[in-house]
Amino acid sequence: MDDIAQVIAQSQADIVAFQEIVPSTGPARLLELAAALQNRLGSKVCVAISPKPTDGDELYAFLWHHEKIALATITTAGSLKTTDRCLPPSPIPLADDVASEIVREPDFAFFFSQKEQQYFAVANVHFVPTEDKPENEVPPTFRFATNMAKPLATQALSLPVLVLGDFNLSAAHRAFVTAALHRQFKPALINVPTSLKLSRRALNKPYDNIWYRNLIPIKAAVMTLYPNPATPTADWPQIGHSLTFLEQDEPRDVYYGLSDHSPIYLIMDLPD
């Protein structure tokens, strides 16, 4: 848990999205993580956890810095307002209207940036494995992401929206052309490997990504779970933001003990 806290602390992220949270132990571990981060950062950290998806056996979650980000809700009048909910974990909804089309239907939430005084929306996804055709889950996901702001009276078309997570699919796949690009969503990463190989220090598949709309990307990259090499290779390039505290860890230990995917991040501006 302390390793994960160190990853997040080094990233300086305002908000973090998680997939594959174990229902039996995951919520308690997330609270431990929030406490560890609060000790490191000296500021309040909030957690929100989803229900279990219809056909999945895992949860989604968000974690954010209370001083920088606030959770938001849609009012009956069709506007967004902030809420001070933080701990214990706030519940966040699943995309019920696409549950019949997506095995692990996304969770989603609205947030407010204290710095930029702007609202934005995030959908968190974990598509089925490659052998189960994750491309079939692309159209309903981006249809939902496009419609999630519809209840807003004045912000429906201009609200910044992010769709992020493990797609088990490259952003170059043709399924994204009509489902995402034609809806004005763009990928933060293009053909950048993010999953890890088990046998050696190497990146593998370009499966994780952050698709965005109505915002200004500044930088997107992979946080490699190993230090950047002195001599880059095709398998182990000089890429992203490396985490040097894992320098002595064996690949198998990182793969099973921490994650089989490297974290990714997006630095962004929200338009006025």
Side-chain angles (χ1 to χ4, degrees), residues 3-4 8 23 35 38 44 72 89 122-123 166 181 196 201 205 210 223 243 248 263 267-268 271:
D3 278 353
I4 298 175
I8 296 172
Q38 288 180 172
K44 194 175 182 180
V122 185
D166 179 2
L181 296 176
L196 298 178
R201 293 187 176 196
K205 302 289 186 180
I210 303 170
M223 292 184 65
L243 302 168
Q248 303 303 321
I267 301 172
M268 64 185 186

Side-chain angles (χ1 to χ4, degrees), residues 18-87:
F18 296 88
Q19 304 88 40
E20 296 191 75
I21 302 296
V22 178
S24 58
T25 59
R29 298 300 300 276
L30 279 170
L31 291 178
E32 293 175 17
L33 175 60
L37 271 174
Q38 288 180 172
N39 290 336
R40 283 180 176 274
L41 302 172
S43 58
K44 194 175 182 180
V45 176
C46 303
V47 176
I49 303 175
S50 77
K52 191 164 68 171
T54 306
D55 293 319
D57 193 26
E58 61 188 62
L59 311 176
Y60 297 104
F62 291 107
L63 180 150
W64 66 94
H65 289 261
H66 185 262
E67 293 179 357
K68 299 179 179 181
I69 300 290
L71 192 63
T73 58
I74 299 179
T75 69
T76 54
S79 61
L80 285 166
K81 71 171 185 178
T82 60
T83 172
D84 200 41
R85 286 184 297 166
C86 189
L87 294 175

Side-chain angles (χ1 to χ4, degrees), residues 10-264:
Q10 277 195 230
S11 75
Q12 299 182 328
D14 293 342
I15 181 170
V16 181
F18 296 88
Q19 304 88 40
E20 296 191 75
I21 302 296
V22 178
S24 58
T25 59
R29 298 300 300 276
L30 279 170
L31 291 178
E32 293 175 17
L33 175 60
L37 271 174
Q38 288 180 172
N39 290 336
R40 283 180 176 274
L41 302 172
S43 58
K44 194 175 182 180
V45 176
C46 303
V47 176
I49 303 175
S50 77
K52 191 164 68 171
T54 306
D55 293 319
D57 193 26
E58 61 188 62
L59 311 176
Y60 297 104
F62 291 107
L63 180 150
W64 66 94
H65 289 261
H66 185 262
E67 293 179 357
K68 299 179 179 181
I69 300 290
L71 192 63
T73 58
I74 299 179
T75 69
T76 54
S79 61
L80 285 166
K81 71 171 185 178
T82 60
T83 172
D84 200 41
R85 286 184 297 166
C86 189
L87 294 175
S90 299
I92 43 175
L94 294 168
D96 294 334
D97 50 343
V98 292
S100 62
E101 301 173 84
I102 303 173
V103 171
R104 296 176 286 237
E105 66 268 31
D107 77 340
F108 67 98
F110 298 92
F111 295 98
F112 181 74
S113 168
Q114 303 285 9
K115 177 184 177 181
E116 301 189 64
Q117 294 290 292
Q118 293 286 336
Y119 291 99
F120 61 100
V122 185
N124 191 6
V125 308
H126 183 202
F127 283 3
V128 292
T130 52
E131 62 269 20
D132 294 329
K133 298 188 179 298
E135 59 268 30
N136 293 338
E137 299 189 324
V138 174
T141 295
F142 285 90
R143 185 178 71 243
F144 169 77
T146 302
N147 293 336
M148 62 190 294
K150 271 192 172 180
L152 300 174
T154 59
Q155 296 172 277
L157 296 178
S158 61
L159 185 75
V161 179
L162 301 105
V163 183
L164 51 80
D166 179 2
F167 295 87
N168 280 314
L169 206 62
S170 166
H173 194 284
R174 64 182 181 275
F176 288 108
V177 174
T178 55
L181 296 176
H182 285 188
R183 296 177 187 268
Q184 286 78 54
F185 283 91
K186 297 178 181 179
L189 301 172
I190 299 176
N191 201 32
V192 177
T194 58
S195 66
L196 298 178
K197 291 188 177 181
L198 173 61
S199 58
R200 64 187 190 279
R201 293 187 176 196
L203 296 168
N204 194 10
K205 302 289 186 180
Y207 284 169
D208 305 273
N209 218 320
I210 303 170
W211 290 78
Y212 62 89
R213 187 175 79 165
N214 295 336
L215 59 84
I216 303 165
I218 298 173
K219 180 181 180 181
V222 177
M223 292 184 65
T224 58
L225 290 177
Y226 305 115
N228 278 318
T231 305
T233 65
D235 276 348
W236 188 17
Q238 185 94 17
I239 185 171
H241 178 108
S242 66
L243 302 168
T244 56
F245 72 93
L246 292 173
E247 186 170 3
Q248 303 303 321
D249 288 48
E250 290 296 322
R252 181 175 292 272
D253 295 333
V254 173
Y255 189 98
Y256 288 117
L258 185 59
S259 178
D260 59 341
H261 290 249
S262 286
I264 61 174

